[in-house]
Amino acid sequence: MWEYSNKVKDHFLNPRNVGAMENPDAVGETGSLSCGDALKLFLKINGNDRITDASFMTFGCASAVASSSALTEMVKGISLDDALKLTNDDIADYLDGLPKEKMHCSVMGQDALRKAINAYRGIQIMEKPGNVVCECFGVTDLEIISAVKENHLKSAEDVTCYLKAGGGCGNCLERIEEIVEEARAKA
């Protein structure tokens, strides 16, 4: 059983800004229902590129709901440039921490935010760039390398906590460990 902070419990039991938004300026989606976690983030953006409102719909665990709720509170009133600087660790810190095994929930929030802002700016993102390493969760080598660098991950177990990769059948764990070692050697 995981130990949740009071803030995580509060955002899970009393989530803020839940539900679809009418006429959003930007939408970011990440995750997959088949993987067990999915997030759809809606943003209203004014003419000065400032986020004026945010809401979400998510399917997932308590940490997914809390992370999504926290994210919507964090982005209201800030510029798109500042929003792009938010990291998954910022979301976890806002919640007074997340269990290591649940950090992927904050990663989903950061990913949905980036996708929403990039879509608003007309920046096309290749869906899932790189080669798929984890077939169960559709995680690519480039996503693993990015997570290792951004979060200073040290093992395949760390990658599973952040991206869920390797958390299904486990057939990819050896390849994930190799990617982690290669990424750390180049850092």
Side-chain angles (χ1 to χ4, degrees), residues 15 20-21 25 33 40 44 50 69 75 95 111 113-114 127 144 147-148 153 162 178 181:
M21 179 182 286
D25 295 307
L33 291 179
K40 190 170 189 177
K44 283 277 190 194
R50 193 164 290 279
S69 173
V75 299
L95 292 168
D111 188 45
L113 180 61
R114 286 182 181 168
E127 197 63 33
I144 294 169
V148 167
L153 306 183
Y162 274 76
E178 291 171 2
E181 288 177 20

Side-chain angles (χ1 to χ4, degrees), residues 61-79:
C61 62
S63 296
V65 173
S67 293
S68 301
S69 173
L71 175 64
T72 60
E73 290 290 297
M74 294 171 71
V75 299
K76 285 183 179 178
I78 67 173
S79 71

Side-chain angles (χ1 to χ4, degrees), residues 78-126:
I78 67 173
S79 71
L80 295 180
D81 289 338
D82 287 341
L84 282 174
K85 294 175 188 170
L86 289 176
T87 67
N88 65 294
D89 285 332
D90 293 329
I91 297 169
D93 289 347
Y94 182 90
L95 292 168
D96 296 333
L98 285 171
K100 178 181 170 186
E101 296 82 359
K102 294 296 182 179
M103 286 300 290
H104 66 273
C105 297
S106 62
V107 173
M108 273 195 344
Q110 180 187 18
D111 188 45
L113 180 61
R114 286 182 181 168
K115 286 180 177 176
I117 293 171
N118 285 331
Y120 175 75
R121 290 181 165 168
I123 299 170
Q124 284 192 322
I125 300 173
M126 276 180 48

